[in-house]
Amino acid sequence: MLSSRPIHLLALLATLLAGGAGLATAKEGIEIPPPAMDGAAAMAQTETAILAGGCFWGVQGVFQHVKGVTNAVSGYAGGEAGTANYGMVGSDTTGHAESVKITFDPAQISYGRILQIYFSVAHDPTQLNRQGPDKGTQYRSAIFPVSNEQAKVAKAYIAQLDQTKLFEKPIVTTIEPDRAFYPAEDYHQDYLTLNPTSLYIIYNDLPKVENLKQLFPALYRDDPVLVSEAGMSN
C-alpha cells in the first residue's frame, strides 16, 4: 500500500540516506501540562475537533487509540472543495492541510485534553510547514476550530505552552477558523492499522502511538476505533 504515496516513501528514503536528520522527533513525546483554560462543559453528546500535524496517517492513528474518541477521519482542511483530493493537495498550492476530524464524547474527554495529546505526542508543533521527512504547507501544524470557544482554548493553550519553555523552539501552530473539512480518499483511512509493516509507519507513526500509551495511560485504548467501523459521517 505504500506505493500509493510515493512522495512519502521517497522523502523517507532521502532522509535516511542523509543520516536520519529530522526523524528523531517522530520517536519522542513530550510531557506537557493540560490547558489551564478548557472548554465549557458541553450539553451535546458529541463534539468534533479538526487538527493538522503532518501526514494524517499518524495523527489519525494516535487519536483512534484515545478513549472517548468515537471516530477519527483523515481528510483535508484549509482550501476549497474542488481541490480536496490527494493529487492536488500534494502540489502545495491548494491551501489545504492534511487533517483529521476527531469526533469525541465530551463526557469522557475534553477538547483541551484532545489538544494536549495533539501537542504532546501526535506531532511536533515547532516544525514550520513540515513534519519529519514531509515538507510543504499541506503538512503544516494547524488547528481548525469549529467554534469561538475552541478558538479561545487553542489560542490560550499555545500561549501557555510557549511560556513553559518545554519546547526547544516556539510553537508555530496556526489557528484557522471557518474552514470546511473534506474526507480523504478511502485508501487513506485506517492506514496505520492496516499497514503496520510499512516502513513509513514503523519509523514515523507507531512511536507516536507508543508515546500515547506511555504518557497518557489513562486515556489509551488498545483497540482503535476505525473509520471502517464507525463510518465516514461521524
Side-chain angles (χ1 to χ4, degrees):
M1 192 68 181
L2 195 60
S3 60
S4 67
R5 301 194 76 177
I7 294 175
H8 272 346
L9 179 57
L10 291 174
L12 176 58
L13 292 176
T15 304
L16 290 172
L17 290 173
L23 290 181
T25 54
K27 294 186 177 181
E28 300 172 357
I30 180 169
E31 191 169 355
I32 58 175
M37 173 185 177
D38 205 340
M43 300 299 292
Q45 292 184 336
T46 61
E47 286 191 26
T48 59
I50 302 173
L51 307 173
C55 173
F56 41 30
W57 293 342
V59 178
Q60 181 191 47
V62 165
F63 283 102
Q64 287 179 321
H65 281 276
V66 174
K67 291 180 181 178
V69 170
T70 57
N71 204 0
V73 178
S74 290
Y76 312 103
E80 301 299 324
T83 58
N85 62 78
Y86 181 69
M88 296 190 72
V89 171
S91 70
D92 193 15
T93 60
T94 66
H96 280 294
E98 291 195 10
S99 307
V100 177
K101 180 180 179 181
I102 302 154
T103 305
F104 61 97
D105 179 356
Q108 297 186 55
I109 187 170
S110 68
Y111 180 69
R113 293 287 269 177
I114 292 286
L115 292 185
Q116 186 182 16
I117 293 169
Y118 167 71
F119 284 116
S120 176
V121 301
H123 82 307
D124 180 351
T126 70
Q127 293 191 359
L128 182 63
N129 294 332
R130 66 170 295 166
Q131 200 65 206
D134 303 315
K135 300 179 181 179
T137 58
Q138 70 269 35
Y139 299 113
R140 67 187 181 274
S141 175
I143 296 171
F144 300 94
V146 301
S147 68
N148 290 334
E149 181 75 12
Q150 285 192 359
K152 291 178 182 178
V153 171
K155 183 178 179 179
Y157 196 29
I158 290 173
Q160 176 188 342
L161 292 177
D162 273 335
Q163 289 179 352
T164 67
K165 306 296 183 183
L166 290 171
F167 293 96
E168 294 182 358
K169 300 177 182 179
I171 292 173
V172 297
T173 307
T174 57
I175 300 174
E176 305 177 32
D178 303 321
R179 298 289 192 272
F181 174 85
Y182 306 95
E185 297 82 352
D186 288 345
Y187 67 89
H188 289 305
Q189 307 301 335
D190 303 333
Y191 197 92
L192 183 149
T193 298
L194 296 176
N195 298 273
T197 60
S198 155
L199 179 62
Y200 184 93
I201 294 297
I202 290 172
Y203 206 102
N204 292 285
D205 296 331
L206 288 181
K208 298 176 182 179
V209 177
E210 181 61 27
N211 289 334
L212 172 71
K213 183 177 182 180
Q214 296 300 319
L215 292 177
F216 298 92
L219 293 175
Y220 176 79
R221 57 186 294 173
D222 282 318
D223 297 325
V225 55
L226 301 178
V227 174
S228 57
E229 298 172 354
M232 280 277 203
S233 60
N234 284 357

